Amino acid sequence: MTKNNSVLKWLEEMKDLVVPDQVVWIDGSEEQLRRLREESCATGEMIALNQEKLPGCYLHRTKENDVARVEARTFICSRREEDAGPTNNWREPQETYRMLYDIARGSYRGRTMYVIPYSMGPVGSPFSKIGYELTDSIYVVLNMAIMTRVGTAVEEALGDSEDWVRGLHCSCEVDAEKRYICHFPEDNTIISVNSAYGGNVLLGKKCFALRIASYLGRNEGWMAEHMLILGIENPQGEVKYVTAAFPSACGKTNLAMLIPPEGYRAKGYKVWTVGDDIAWMRPGPDGRLWAVNPENGFFGVAPGTNQKSNPNALATTQKGTIFTNVVHNLDDNTVWWEGLDKNPPENAIDWKGNPWNGKTSTEKGAHPNSRFTAPAKNCPCISKEFDSGKGVPISAIIFGGRRAQTTPLVYQSRSWEHGVFVGSIMASETTAAATGAVGVVRRDPMAMLPFCGYHMGDYFGHWIDMGRKLGDKAPKIFNVNWFRVDEEGKFIWPGFGDNLRVLEWILARCDGEVDAEETPIGYVPHSKDINLEGLDFTQEQLEDILAIDKEKWMQEAKGIEEFYGKFGGKLPKELREQLHTLEENLK
Ligand code: GTP
Ligand code: SPV
Ligand code: MN
């Protein structure tokens, strides 16, 4: 327990508000976590899985109304509405505090308040930031203990500083009608009520490490992004790092843990995971852009994860993991999800808690957004730099999304400013990671639409400024699309491990080793320059997914024009000029 006055004072206020029966301070010790796991199993909140097959693994089911982030109920409560911008929901802070306090008041009666001191980033790193989360859910405590660094060491690092983020989570009745995920960027405060699911309640993750941190980053000259970080080691043993921003459930975890195709492995290529969801980046002493993964674990999508698509993720989940909303196999007390294997259990319980037979049932057994929470240190390909507080230097930034058409497999921007344009026009088909319709194309700039804690026009401006600061040391910016489909709706590009072929071209471009074709949208590879060795894929098929359809891009330009209209005078003039250049190039 801390002696920090600003923490103690806030804690007293919150205790008076929510009125817990008792307060438990999370010290991060294995002993304390063990007791909490036992308690949660005794109450039925968690189910201990087969400890021989899955040591330290547990299953949890959320309420049916509480299975994903709720963007419509997520708010940025800046003092001025215009500071939240046109892409965020805004609420007036004073009135919102009052409303939330009314919901929170007395809601811990009969419950325990857990006080979680946590660090985003390795404890003591210059990149790192500290937060406190108060919660009445053991599930949240156990997840936070995997996803972040928690406990006494964090409090020692904070000392008596007032620079930390306040987080209050109240499960209340998990009433969807009274669910609010609210951010007060000017007060370093997050309040989340009436949910108990993932991104809504693990406050270190999207709420702090993206929404609050993006706001802090703009004020302090750094960047908080929805990006994976990965290292690619060539046969000479040199490792180059890239980051990639894809919208939720669009393949960040897959790319971050990629296994090189056979031919590449034989040559000695290796891939190292630094992060799979969030990157904090700032200029390093050498003037390059350096990145740290602020998280300590992976909150990954379960369905579709299997021995072929992502063996590293699967291996990561074999111990010390919490599974949420997957199938419970009663025969051997393990878990299952759609796309794990072709052998669904017959004697099982589905994510809703009902008996389920995988051979006869027509309904899905696992929720499409069911997830695993697994310690990063379990990952067979975790980078040796993962825990290093100094971060890794970034050679390339990659944007991408799910586009059935229009966007080619890969292209490079002509400059940093053009790269910011490429990020700003990202669009992707929606997924189950948030509630609402799935498969609808929407603009999702830099994959940050749901996560930018301030006006997106100012955010674009911040990107432009960062490029100016980095000058010729700035990473090169690319865009990829693994998701082009043929007439039958089937993915054309094999993807997954074979995406390394595209990464190889990207790194060759960074080193100026290969030339490219200049097109209206940027530099596209000559098809001969993407290595197809050992792949059942023809040069013609490749040319097909590298092709730029001018008609479609003219349509796209219209869509961008319309989207940009939202930002009014806050749209940086550099982006307006880039759009103009695109339109001219297409003529
Ligand atoms: P969040 O954790 O929600 O931020 O998402 P994420 O970006 O980490 O998502 P994840 O890696 O779990 O995305 C999984 C989805 O992407 C699954 O539907 C995969 O099948 C699909 N996917 C990933 N890589 C590829 C690929 O190379 N090709 C194709 N066609 N699909 C892919
Ligand atoms: C996402 O939706 O982008 C996630 C999962 O990474 S959650 O933590 O629920 O936001
Ligand atoms: Mn994410």
Side-chain angles (χ1 to χ4, degrees):
M1 182 176 153
T2 185
K3 293 198 191 75
N4 183 309
N5 276 323
S6 59
V7 174
L8 293 172
K9 182 164 167 282
W10 173 73
L11 186 66
E12 283 310 311
E13 281 168 29
M14 292 301 111
K15 263 166 54 185
D16 288 347
L17 177 72
V18 300
V19 203
D21 273 15
Q22 55 164 342
V23 176
V24 170
W25 215 277
I26 299 303
D27 60 21
S29 68
E30 182 47 37
E31 175 53 25
Q32 187 185 44
L33 294 172
R34 190 183 57 73
R35 269 185 278 123
L36 290 172
R37 287 182 206 115
E38 277 173 13
E39 189 182 333
S40 71
C41 289
T43 61
E45 184 182 3
M46 302 259 257
I47 297 166
L49 294 166
N50 184 327
Q51 295 298 304
E52 266 158 42
K53 290 189 174 169
L54 296 168
C57 292
Y58 296 82
L59 169 65
H60 172 78
R61 287 190 284 267
T62 63
K63 274 193 149 185
E64 270 182 55
N65 75 14
D66 191 32
V67 293
R69 284 182 293 101
V70 281
E71 294 178 5
R73 308 196 69 95
T74 298
F75 294 87
I76 301 298
C77 307
S78 46
R79 279 193 283 277
R80 300 187 316 168
E81 181 168 5
E82 66 181 277
D83 291 337
T87 58
N88 279 313
N89 301 310
W90 175 83
R91 289 188 69 107
E92 196 280 320
Q94 292 316 316
E95 183 264 322
T96 305
Y97 276 124
R98 269 197 299 277
M99 175 193 70
L100 294 169
Y101 286 174
D102 283 346
I103 294 172
R105 189 164 294 114
S107 73
Y108 278 42
R109 277 206 178 92
R111 303 184 188 187
T112 300
M113 171 186 275
Y114 298 97
V115 182
I116 315 171
Y118 66 93
S119 174
M120 297 314 290
V123 178
S125 155
F127 282 79
S128 300
K129 299 256 174 203
I130 286 171
Y132 275 83
E133 175 163 358
L134 308 180
T135 181
D136 52 1
S137 155
I138 297 184
Y139 171 74
V140 168
V141 174
L142 296 175
N143 273 274
M144 284 293 284
I146 297 173
M147 294 306 296
T148 74
R149 284 105 173 153
V150 303
T152 316
V154 175
E155 303 200 297
E156 281 164 12
L158 182 65
D160 52 17
S161 164
E162 292 184 13
D163 183 13
W164 53 278
V165 171
R166 290 147 186 76
L168 172 66
H169 165 237
C170 305
S171 307
C172 303
E173 308 311 320
V174 197
D175 177 350
E177 300 299 314
K178 293 191 193 145
R179 186 168 298 154
Y180 293 95
I181 321 299
C182 296
H183 308 71
F184 303 82
E186 289 137 348
D187 304 342
N188 269 344
T189 298
I190 305 156
I191 302 179
S192 167
V193 295
N194 276 297
S195 173
Y197 185 81
N200 297 331
V201 299
L202 307 179
L203 299 186
K205 197 172 175 59
K206 298 300 163 72
C207 299
F208 180 169
L210 288 178
R211 297 195 191 96
I212 297 287
S214 60
Y215 172 85
L216 295 174
R218 179 177 179 230
N219 292 341
E220 299 169 1
W222 54 283
M223 308 166 90
E225 299 296 334
H226 192 199
M227 290 177 174
L228 66 92
I229 311 170
L230 117 143
I232 301 144
E233 181 175 334
N234 69 13
Q236 292 75 51
E238 297 156 349
V239 186
K240 295 236 164 79
Y241 296 90
V242 305
T243 63
F246 308 156
S248 304
C250 289
K252 288 186 299 301
T253 306
N254 282 96
L255 191 66
M257 298 181 188
L258 174 155
I259 296 207
E262 181 57 48
Y264 281 79
R265 262 179 292 157
K267 279 189 229 154
Y269 276 93
K270 292 189 183 110
V271 165
W272 301 106
T273 308
V274 182
D276 83 327
D277 198 45
I278 300 178
W280 282 3
M281 305 192 287
R282 55 173 75 222
D286 61 355
R288 299 179 67 190
L289 189 64
W290 289 65
V292 150
N293 170 11
E295 302 192 281
N296 202 26
F298 308 118
F299 186 58
V301 179
T305 305
N306 61 50
Q307 196 48 45
K308 198 159 164 273
S309 69
N310 197 343
N312 284 322
L314 202 58
T316 306
T317 63
Q318 299 303 292
K319 60 180 187 211
T321 295
I322 299 171
F323 297 92
T324 301
N325 293 342
V326 300
V327 175
H328 188 193
N329 180 348
L330 295 178
D331 282 337
D332 63 354
N333 192 23
T334 57
V335 288
W336 191 86
W337 49 78
E338 278 68 26
L340 173 64
D341 55 38
K342 296 212 165 74
N343 195 20
E346 294 176 54
N347 176 26
I349 303 285
D350 69 7
W351 72 272
K352 296 177 180 168
N354 299 321
W356 185 81
N357 182 332
K359 296 282 188 299
T360 57
S361 179
T362 49
E363 281 190 40
K364 288 201 159 131
H367 187 274
N369 191 39
S370 55
R371 295 203 175 229
F372 53 79
T373 317
K377 64 172 189 308
N378 282 1
C379 181
C381 56
I382 196 73
S383 163
K384 66 178 189 343
E385 302 297 335
F386 167 74
D387 249 331
S388 126
K390 73 182 202 322
V392 294
I394 300 305
S395 300
I397 292 175
I398 305 170
F399 294 118
R402 280 179 193 260
R403 291 301 295 272
Q405 299 184 335
T406 316
T407 313
L409 178 65
V410 56
Y411 68 102
Q412 182 186 3
S413 64
R414 288 179 294 265
S415 63
W416 178 273
E417 276 177 16
H418 180 225
V420 176
F421 173 74
V422 169
S424 78
I425 66 168
M426 264 171 70
S428 192
E429 293 152 22
T430 51
T431 67
T435 53
V438 167
V440 183
V441 176
R442 71 165 184 187
R443 298 268 156 214
D444 187 351
M446 283 85 171
M448 282 289 277
L449 182 74
F451 307 120
C452 182
Y454 60 102
H455 196 299
M456 201 119 206
D458 290 331
Y459 169 81
F460 295 151
H462 181 48
W463 265 84
I464 304 253
D465 286 346
M466 289 300 297
R468 261 186 216 127
K469 263 188 221 148
L470 294 161
D472 60 5
K473 298 211 167 114
K476 302 280 185 280
I477 302 180
F478 298 79
N479 193 88
V480 298
N481 177 22
W482 319 136
F483 297 92
R484 283 264 280 248
V485 298
D486 60 18
E487 290 87 49
E488 281 145 38
K490 286 223 272 306
F491 295 120
I492 301 171
W493 176 246
F496 300 95
D498 290 309
N499 292 333
L500 184 60
R501 301 169 190 276
V502 174
L503 295 179
E504 188 186 27
W505 181 81
I506 287 175
L507 291 181
R509 286 294 294 170
C510 291
D511 291 340
E513 286 169 355
V514 57
D515 50 53
E517 187 186 335
E518 208 170 337
T519 77
I521 67 165
Y523 300 114
V524 171
H526 296 298
S527 61
K528 66 171 174 48
D529 291 328
I530 300 233
N531 176 10
L532 297 178
E533 224 176 279
L535 197 59
D536 184 17
F537 198 77
T538 65
Q539 194 106 354
E540 291 72 55
Q541 280 175 299
L542 181 59
E543 275 157 22
D544 188 39
I545 55 172
L546 288 173
I548 311 296
D549 181 332
K550 278 199 181 183
E551 284 296 316
K552 288 208 176 84
W553 273 94
M554 279 197 257
Q555 275 306 113
E556 193 70 10
K558 283 203 195 106
I560 299 165
E561 186 84 56
E562 194 185 319
F563 179 62
Y564 272 7
K566 284 189 178 193
F567 300 102
K570 289 265 199 185
L571 186 80
K573 65 173 190 331
E574 292 85 351
L575 296 189
R576 172 113 351 255
E577 282 159 18
Q578 289 292 340
L579 175 56
H580 185 70
T581 306
L582 174 66
E583 286 163 341
E584 287 300 306
N585 289 350
L586 289 167
K587 274 186 189 153

